[in-house]
Amino acid sequence: MKHYWQKSILAFGLTMQFSPLIIGQVRLPVEEAVKIALQKNPAIKASALAVQRNEQLLGAARNVPNPDLTFDSPTGVFYTLGFQQSFRFPTVYGRQYQQQQQQILLSQKEQVITANNLKYRVRTIYSAIQSAEAYQRQLLSQDSLYTQISQAAQRNFDAGTIDKLALLYAQTQEAEVKNQARVAGFQIASQKKQLEILMGISLSASVFTPLVKLPSPALDTSTIVQNPAVQVAQQWETVAQKAVEVERAKALPGC
């Protein structure tokens, strides 16, 4: 009878492992999670608006100041209507236009930084959820075993074959495993909440890809110069140089 019971448990476990997902649940791979976050995260939308704003300001870099209307009465007898128009030295407008072009490039590079940071955070939290779920599954499998041990200890105690200390030890081990499983469940819920904030959707019906052992990627030092953070720092230097050129052009005599 005991051998038959073990076979039944094994068959049920294999059936649950290889059976399709429960109706209403959706498999959410990490790439899909990253894709959704890039579409819905407010930080991505804000960075796109910053690029659009700088592009719209490009045309204004060459605009001349609006004329000033005057309405005077020099003699006190009649009034004259006139206007005044001031111009910067022509070099100023060219420098301002170049500076704004570099500002557009800077905002575009910062947009890439924002997207990369979001991808990193989504992947990190996703991996943490995978790890916590794997740990929880391990604890739940141990929980059933420790429950059986605790029940067996209770029967042996009732029969008088073990003392109270052995019974309390078995019950304590069972309670500890149950508590660890609950803590793992809280961690999963918290991490899913963080992922929901980044993705802008509810993950109540989502199923994550089970954790697998992945090979460690080799470090390629040649990609350091292609790092968006390095490119942003270089672009900031270019923008600062253009700003200096604008100020020098403004120092020239105007019209």
Side-chain angles (χ1 to χ4, degrees):
M1 182 66 182
K2 182 178 180 182
H3 184 64
Y4 173 80
W5 177 249
Q6 291 176 345
K7 284 187 174 180
S8 299
I9 295 177
L10 178 60
F12 177 76
L14 292 175
T15 302
M16 291 299 295
Q17 180 177 359
F18 295 102
S19 62
L21 298 177
I22 300 174
I23 296 176
Q25 293 182 330
V26 179
R27 177 73 70 182
L28 181 67
V30 62
E31 296 300 334
E32 183 66 20
V34 171
K35 180 180 178 181
I36 295 174
L38 291 176
Q39 293 174 348
K40 295 183 176 294
N41 190 270
I44 297 296
K45 297 178 180 179
S47 62
L49 289 175
V51 174
Q52 183 179 355
R53 172 182 176 273
N54 284 316
E55 290 175 346
Q56 293 175 348
L57 290 176
L58 182 62
R62 290 178 172 174
N63 290 347
V64 298
N66 294 327
D68 297 326
L69 296 178
T70 60
F71 194 62
D72 299 325
S73 176
T75 62
V77 179
F78 62 91
Y79 290 87
T80 60
L81 179 65
F83 71 93
Q84 294 179 345
Q85 178 68 65
S86 60
F87 297 93
R88 292 280 190 180
F89 197 76
T91 308
V92 173
Y93 301 106
R95 299 301 186 194
Q96 289 181 161
Y97 189 84
Q98 294 174 2
Q99 181 189 14
Q100 190 59 36
Q101 285 180 319
Q102 297 301 322
Q103 193 69 39
I104 293 173
L105 292 176
L106 176 61
S107 60
Q108 290 173 343
K109 294 180 183 297
E110 289 179 337
Q111 185 181 22
V112 175
I113 286 287
T114 303
N116 284 354
N117 288 339
L118 179 61
K119 292 177 183 178
Y120 172 78
R121 293 177 64 188
V122 169
R123 292 180 183 276
T124 301
I125 296 176
Y126 192 99
S127 298
I129 293 174
Q130 288 179 308
S131 178
E133 287 184 341
Y135 183 53
Q136 186 186 47
R137 287 193 295 269
Q138 178 184 0
L139 291 173
L140 291 176
S141 64
Q142 293 177 359
D143 177 61
S144 61
L145 176 62
Y146 277 96
T147 298
Q148 294 176 11
I149 294 176
S150 178
Q151 293 173 351
Q154 183 66 52
R155 290 193 297 269
N156 291 333
F157 176 77
D158 295 338
T161 57
I162 62 173
D163 57 8
K164 186 67 174 180
L165 181 61
L167 174 61
L168 291 177
Y169 178 78
Q171 292 175 342
T172 301
Q173 293 296 312
E174 178 190 8
E176 183 178 352
V177 171
K178 289 183 180 296
N179 183 63
Q180 291 178 355
R182 285 194 294 268
V183 171
F186 293 147
Q187 291 177 347
I188 293 172
S190 175
Q191 291 159 352
K192 283 186 177 181
K193 196 62 177 179
Q194 296 179 43
L195 196 57
E196 285 180 346
I197 295 174
L198 293 179
M199 296 175 60
I201 62 173
S202 175
L203 299 175
S204 57
S206 299
V207 178
F208 295 81
T209 304
L211 184 65
V212 295
K213 185 177 181 180
L214 301 176
S216 300
L219 178 61
D220 186 5
T221 56
S222 63
T223 60
I224 296 178
V225 295
Q226 300 176 0
N227 190 308
V230 177
Q231 295 180 0
V232 166
Q234 294 173 341
Q235 189 61 32
W236 267 114
E237 182 181 0
T238 303
V239 170
Q241 291 174 349
K242 293 300 180 181
V244 172
E245 294 177 1
V246 170
E247 295 302 321
R248 287 176 178 174
K250 288 181 179 180
L252 298 175
C255 302

